[in-house]
Amino acid sequence: MADSVIVNSVKPCIILVNPQLGENIGTAARAMANFGLGDMRIVDPRDGWPNIRAREAASGADWVIEGASVHDGLAAATGDLHHIYATTARPRDMVKPVMSPEEAAADMTARMAGGQSCGIAFGRERWGLNNDEIALCDTMVMAPVDPEFASLNIAQAVLLVSYEWYKLHARSLGMSSGEAPPVTASGLIMPDTRPANKDELAGFFKHLEGELDTAGFFKSRTNRPTMIRNLRNMFHRASLTEQEVRTLRGVISSLVRHHLRPKPNRDKG
Amino acid sequence: MADSVIVNSVKPCIILVNPQLGENIGTAARAMANFGLGDMRIVDPRDGWPNIRAREAASGADWVIEGASVHDGLAAATGDLHHIYATTARPRDMVKPVMSPEEAAADMTARMAGGQSCGIAFGRERWGLNNDEIALCDTMVMAPVDPEFASLNIAQAVLLVSYEWYKLHARSLGMSSGEAPPVTASGLIMPDTRPANKDELAGFFKHLEGELDTAGFFKSRTNRPTMIRNLRNMFHRASLTEQEVRTLRGVISSLVRHHLRPKPNRDKG
């Protein structure tokens, strides 16, 4: 883990969610190798792993295939990351920033210069990422494509994002000797702390949602998934630091605990 | 041919020279369609034409495959063009301008604006264009790739060049042909709602901080201003919508109210 943090802090990882065809995994690996990327994470590959067709389609990018990790669910694949980009073919009904591959490359470059680990998630061949998966992500990425024929092959989507990253990376390597100034993508100054990683964020969500269940916040079971998604989206957008996540957990604990104090005449909330 | 001159004057054509695999022709057609290109010219396809595997791999970009023209030699395929770009994987020993796909896109856009017809030639899968073919071209195009793994699949090379052209083209068109989603200044898509105004945000802060005071959250009076500032900063960064502010107020009310319910054995927060 210590090693991978170093790697991730300078290069983004590519996360393939529930890929159906080994060929596409292989072609995506090849595209990654073309642009200097090596950390592939595969979530629930339909045909299991390893996959001989993936190996063949990688056309020699064997180290990407061999080094790929396999995970059970997107959350498990991304716990160490600070910022996840979700590629989507169409706008979703969610309040999240949307960037082009070019903008995302600039954004992740700035974040990684500030020490954050970033990953880009790609969905299934036919229907992409589902809404729960997108809710786990921070930023949506949409490639500019002809609306008349918008379906990008998954490996081609990997190619475009990797290409934009590499263009910027190659350019910045030409200008500086690797020591970029510590500025976060959103221009935040983060003194004495660091961005929360996804595990910490997941712990916070579990805490909040558990208390809301106890409190009967979700009036109907059918609305619950949507409301949870909306709540997660809000807090994702805030780009919380690890310290802030702890503060928010303190807020929750404080709000739910105060009835234990002997204050029968307190003001009503 | 008269028709295609008009088309060519606004969009470049893609020329595949001696392609070996039908799959690659099809995938290249799909990539062209993704970025609004439709004029494919095929020089000496190894397996003849039409090619069922090309058709299958095009994944619905049938009009590109059906409209493709087949030619005997590169010169025959390009007689009507004014400027030909030759994609190469490595520098050749020739005195010719070399551009990146991005630069080539800008160059051809300018030429086409001046009435020239342009095309981009892609070579065979294994060894690219030969020197005689490159000599027929005006400009070389090399994509920035990792020198450790530089071999781009032909369809992926088509994708990158088409993508760069489309990016520039879409931008110069204004990109908004009425289809773009409503995006705020901060790049957020906001469906069915609007950003919270400052009054709404202030009401939320007052609500939250009042409850935290009641709960004894601020352990010391001296820290209180700093903690409040930190909390406000977090929620400011989330760029909350009006609907989200209402949701968060509901969360607070729910968390502080649930002790009124008869649940003595609930889990501790």
Side-chain angles (χ1 to χ4, degrees):
Chain A
M1 185 57 91
D3 283 347
S4 80
V5 167
I6 294 169
V7 172
N8 284 338
S9 69
V10 291
K11 293 185 179 184
C13 67
I14 297 292
I15 308 146
L16 304 183
V17 178
N18 197 15
Q20 310 288 295
L21 297 173
E23 286 84 345
N24 287 334
I25 302 173
T27 324
R30 179 181 181 176
M32 289 172 62
N34 282 142
F35 300 109
L37 301 183
D39 183 359
M40 173 182 269
R41 305 177 184 193
I42 310 175
V43 174
D44 305 322
R46 185 193 65 181
D47 296 341
W49 195 257
N51 182 322
I52 182 65
R53 313 214 58 170
R55 181 60 166 262
E56 288 168 355
S59 300
D62 297 339
W63 70 96
V64 180
I65 295 293
E66 277 161 20
S69 56
V70 177
H71 306 267
D72 186 11
L74 179 59
T78 55
D80 62 316
L81 301 182
H82 300 100
H83 201 93
I84 311 174
Y85 301 82
T87 54
T88 68
R90 58 189 188 285
R92 305 293 184 104
D93 204 22
M94 288 197 214
V95 181
K96 261 189 210 303
V98 178
M99 295 182 181
S100 69
E102 193 174 359
E103 291 164 338
D107 190 70
M108 73 183 73
T109 298
R111 287 181 187 280
M112 290 184 292
Q116 296 190 31
S117 302
C118 297
I120 311 114
F122 298 81
R124 301 147 192 85
E125 281 87 342
R126 288 202 178 277
W127 64 94
L129 297 165
N130 66 38
N131 284 345
D132 286 335
E133 288 157 351
I134 292 180
L136 290 173
C137 301
D138 302 276
T139 299
M140 292 197 282
V141 176
M142 281 178 65
V145 286
D146 188 341
E148 301 290 317
F149 194 79
S151 90
L152 272 182
N153 172 279
I154 182 176
Q156 295 185 322
V158 170
L159 183 86
L160 290 186
V161 172
S162 305
Y163 165 73
E164 289 287 7
W165 178 81
Y166 187 77
K167 271 205 301 183
L168 209 58
H169 182 72
R171 208 179 288 156
S172 69
L173 276 183
M175 298 191 313
S176 78
S177 48
E179 287 298 323
V183 179
T184 71
S186 44
L188 296 177
I189 296 168
M190 293 196 174
D192 305 329
T193 184
R194 58 166 179 77
N197 66 32
K198 296 306 174 194
D199 278 345
E200 290 156 349
L201 218 50
F204 163 66
F205 289 143
K206 195 173 164 201
H207 186 176
L208 173 63
E209 292 152 17
E211 289 297 349
L212 289 174
D213 276 329
T214 304
F217 175 76
F218 303 108
K219 268 128 200 152
S220 88
R221 301 303 294 178
T222 51
N223 285 346
R224 187 176 180 281
T226 306
M227 298 207 66
I228 282 186
R229 214 150 52 216
N230 291 344
L231 283 169
R232 290 184 179 190
N233 279 339
M234 281 182 235
F235 288 106
H236 265 124
R237 287 206 312 273
S239 305
L240 298 170
T241 69
E242 173 270 338
Q243 171 62 59
E244 288 172 338
V245 165
R246 277 190 282 133
T247 300
L248 285 176
R249 295 191 67 158
V251 164
I252 297 170
S253 298
S254 182
L255 291 177
V256 299
R257 238 194 339 254
H258 75 123
H259 69 282
L260 299 176
R261 295 158 186 267
K263 283 182 183 169
N265 298 323
R266 71 170 186 88
D267 296 347
K268 291 284 276 294
Chain B
M1 188 55 92
D3 281 347
S4 79
V5 168
I6 295 170
V7 171
N8 285 337
S9 69
V10 291
K11 295 183 177 183
C13 66
I14 298 291
I15 308 146
L16 304 183
V17 177
N18 197 15
Q20 309 289 294
L21 298 172
E23 286 85 343
N24 288 333
I25 301 173
T27 325
R30 180 180 179 175
M32 289 172 62
N34 282 142
F35 300 108
L37 301 184
D39 183 358
M40 173 182 270
R41 305 178 184 194
I42 310 175
V43 174
D44 304 321
R46 185 192 67 181
D47 296 340
W49 195 257
N51 182 320
I52 183 65
R53 312 212 61 167
R55 180 59 166 264
E56 287 168 358
S59 299
D62 296 338
W63 68 96
V64 180
I65 295 292
E66 278 162 19
S69 55
V70 177
H71 306 267
D72 185 11
L74 179 60
T78 55
D80 60 316
L81 301 182
H82 300 101
H83 200 94
I84 311 173
Y85 302 82
T87 56
T88 69
R90 57 189 189 283
R92 304 293 184 105
D93 201 18
M94 287 194 220
V95 183
K96 261 190 213 300
V98 178
M99 295 182 180
S100 69
E102 196 174 357
E103 292 163 338
D107 189 70
M108 73 184 73
T109 298
R111 288 181 187 281
M112 290 185 291
Q116 296 188 30
S117 301
C118 297
I120 311 115
F122 298 81
R124 301 147 192 88
E125 283 86 342
R126 289 202 177 277
W127 64 95
L129 297 165
N130 65 36
N131 284 346
D132 286 337
E133 287 158 351
I134 292 180
L136 290 174
C137 302
D138 302 277
T139 300
M140 290 196 286
V141 177
M142 281 180 63
V145 286
D146 188 340
E148 302 290 315
F149 194 78
S151 89
L152 272 181
N153 172 279
I154 181 176
Q156 294 185 323
V158 170
L159 185 84
L160 292 186
V161 171
S162 305
Y163 165 73
E164 289 289 6
W165 178 82
Y166 186 76
K167 272 206 301 185
L168 209 61
H169 181 74
R171 207 179 288 155
S172 68
L173 279 180
M175 184 76 182
S176 58
S177 36
E179 296 296 327
V183 174
T184 69
S186 50
L188 295 176
I189 290 181
M190 297 213 168
D192 305 330
T193 182
R194 59 166 178 78
N197 65 32
K198 295 308 173 196
D199 277 346
E200 288 154 351
L201 217 50
F204 163 66
F205 290 143
K206 196 176 163 199
H207 185 176
L208 173 63
E209 291 152 16
E211 289 296 350
L212 289 174
D213 276 331
T214 304
F217 176 76
F218 304 108
K219 270 132 198 148
S220 89
R221 299 306 293 180
T222 51
N223 284 346
R224 187 176 181 281
T226 306
M227 298 205 68
I228 282 186
R229 213 153 47 222
N230 290 344
L231 282 169
R232 290 184 180 191
N233 278 339
M234 280 181 237
F235 288 105
H236 266 124
R237 287 207 311 273
S239 305
L240 297 169
T241 69
E242 172 270 337
Q243 170 62 59
E244 288 172 338
V245 165
R246 277 191 282 134
T247 300
L248 285 176
R249 296 191 67 158
V251 165
I252 296 170
S253 298
S254 181
L255 290 177
V256 301
R257 237 191 344 249
H258 74 123
H259 69 283
L260 299 175
R261 294 158 188 266
K263 284 183 184 168
N265 297 324
R266 71 170 186 89
D267 296 348
K268 291 286 275 294

